[in-house]
């Protein structure tokens, strides 16, 4: 096993917002997986492996503009 870095680099909220706007403008299909990763605290590989059975619809927001794509 390899040693893990002391801290995994993450993006700031401002960097996320800038990335989000860029992807929206370009109609990039990576937008939704990146939003899921950011808000759920998942790595992109974990997002790629999600299935509908992983989604708890009882706790999902219903009409929140924050999650609108």
């Amino acid at each position: 096993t390899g040693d893990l870095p002391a801290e995994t680099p993450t993006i700031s909220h401002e960097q996320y917002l800038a990335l989000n706007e860029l992807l929206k403008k370009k109609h990039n299909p990576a937008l939704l997986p990146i939003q899921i990763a950011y808000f759920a605290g998942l790595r992109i590989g974990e997002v790629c492996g999600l299935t509908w059975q992983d989604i708890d619809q009882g706790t999902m927001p219903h009409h929140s503009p924050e999650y609108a794509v």
Side-chain angles (χ1 to χ4, degrees):
T1 64
D3 292 335
L4 294 176
E7 186 175 314
T8 302
T10 59
I11 63 173
S12 69
H13 185 66
E14 291 78 19
Q15 289 171 320
Y16 165 75
L17 293 175
L19 177 60
N20 198 48
E21 285 305 311
L22 176 70
L23 294 175
K24 279 184 184 179
K25 285 180 188 174
K26 296 188 176 281
H27 303 286
N28 191 306
L31 177 61
L32 183 59
I34 288 175
Q35 289 174 328
I36 292 170
Y38 184 79
F39 286 108
L42 299 174
R43 292 172 281 200
I44 211 67
E46 294 170 319
V47 173
C48 291
L50 288 175
T51 66
W52 282 112
Q53 289 77 22
D54 298 320
I55 307 298
D56 182 358
Q57 294 185 2
T59 61
M60 291 181 64
H62 291 289
H63 293 95
S64 175
E66 181 178 352
Y67 295 98
V69 178

